[in-house]
Amino acid sequence: MITILRPALLSCLLILPTLSWAQEFVTVPRRLSDEAFYRLVACAAPPGGECRKPLIRWSDQRAVSLTVGVVQIDDHFPNYKLDLVEAAIDRAIAEINASGAYLVLERSYEPDPDIAIYLLDTPQGGIIEGTGNRELDGSELAVGRVAIRSLGADIQEAAIALSRDINRREISSVVLEELVQALGLATDIQSPAYPDSIFNENSNAVVWLRGQDAEALRRHYPRL
């Protein structure tokens, strides 16, 4: 992931006018308090430390009417994975909407959704090109990537790219994780204490929002 503060692009690399660093995940030895966990996934703060990324979120007005849609399907993106992705998007939206956070996401089949999803012929580890999205094109793609454009603390738009090489067993988990990251919780956690977290850096197996994952989303988007 990358963030450029212009409006900003958020990914795992934060780029400022004179400074840049990567912060894809934070390693911790044990489970954290709810507040420490939230700060880690929201702004890359290590336990007891300062934020290493800006806190960004969709505005209250936009958060309750966010649209999610597939805007590009490359010719060689596997057809059987397409059906799995479509189902995973619907499940992920349902999980987020049921989390108790001040959020309402809905599927869109119109151009220019708030969160645009690109299903690409790009191999795992390849360079994204041809999307027309300047935040994605030219960047490396693992199995999934999210890019967020923000103005100050307010997210303006987000884009998610999925590789043709994504494992079918990982699709539901990856789609949910990328959608949650597109909401501003963009840092993973590396710890043996968190096998049940969607933010687990070393696993793409969790397909629900429970416990501290859901609590972090509620803290980021508290009920008014």
Side-chain angles (χ1 to χ4, degrees):
M1 292 168 282
I2 302 173
T3 306
I4 301 174
L5 299 180
R6 294 189 314 268
L9 156 73
L10 182 91
S11 215
C12 289
L13 175 66
L14 179 62
I15 303 178
L16 298 174
T18 59
L19 178 65
S20 67
W21 67 87
Q23 189 65 33
E24 298 184 10
F25 61 87
V26 175
T27 300
V28 298
R30 61 185 65 86
R31 292 189 78 88
L32 307 175
S33 69
D34 288 351
E35 177 65 13
F37 182 88
Y38 166 64
R39 284 173 50 77
L40 187 156
V41 299
C43 68
E50 299 297 321
C51 288
R52 297 175 179 174
K53 290 179 182 177
L55 279 166
I56 59 171
R57 62 192 300 278
W58 296 89
S59 68
D60 290 338
Q61 181 178 7
R62 296 189 66 185
V64 293
S65 60
L66 288 173
T67 55
V68 181
V70 176
V71 299
Q72 180 173 325
I73 306 171
D74 285 355
D75 290 340
H76 296 292
F77 190 88
N79 286 334
Y80 75 93
K81 292 182 182 179
L82 174 59
D83 292 338
L84 296 172
V85 170
E86 292 283 357
I89 294 170
D90 290 336
R91 285 195 298 270
I93 288 173
E95 282 290 321
I96 291 168
N97 287 344
S99 69
Y102 190 71
L103 286 163
V104 178
L105 276 61
E106 60 182 346
R107 283 296 298 268
S108 172
Y109 299 94
E110 301 295 326
D112 302 320
D114 298 310
I115 303 174
I117 299 175
Y118 297 78
L119 307 182
L120 304 180
D121 188 33
T122 310
Q124 183 174 357
I127 302 300
I128 299 172
E129 57 185 17
T131 69
N133 183 302
R134 62 182 179 177
E135 283 78 29
L136 290 177
D137 285 343
S139 59
E140 184 176 346
L141 180 62
V143 293
R145 185 178 184 87
V146 63
I148 304 171
R149 181 179 293 278
S150 66
L151 181 61
D154 291 335
I155 299 174
Q156 303 297 306
E157 60 185 64
I160 293 169
L162 297 178
S163 166
R164 71 184 187 202
D165 291 337
I166 188 171
N167 189 306
R168 63 184 300 165
R169 293 186 297 274
E170 297 179 322
I171 288 174
S172 290
S173 181
V174 171
V175 168
L176 177 58
E177 179 183 4
E178 301 300 334
L179 270 180
V180 170
Q181 290 193 330
L183 300 172
L185 302 180
T187 303
D188 283 341
I189 186 168
Q190 185 177 65
S191 172
Y194 281 97
D196 56 345
S197 175
I198 195 68
F199 299 101
N200 188 327
E201 168 68 12
N202 298 319
S203 174
N204 290 320
V206 178
V207 296
W208 53 78
L209 289 174
R210 300 288 188 272
Q212 289 184 319
D213 290 355
E215 176 62 20
L217 201 56
R218 289 191 292 267
R219 285 176 182 243
H220 210 51
Y221 293 94
R223 294 282 176 178
L224 300 180

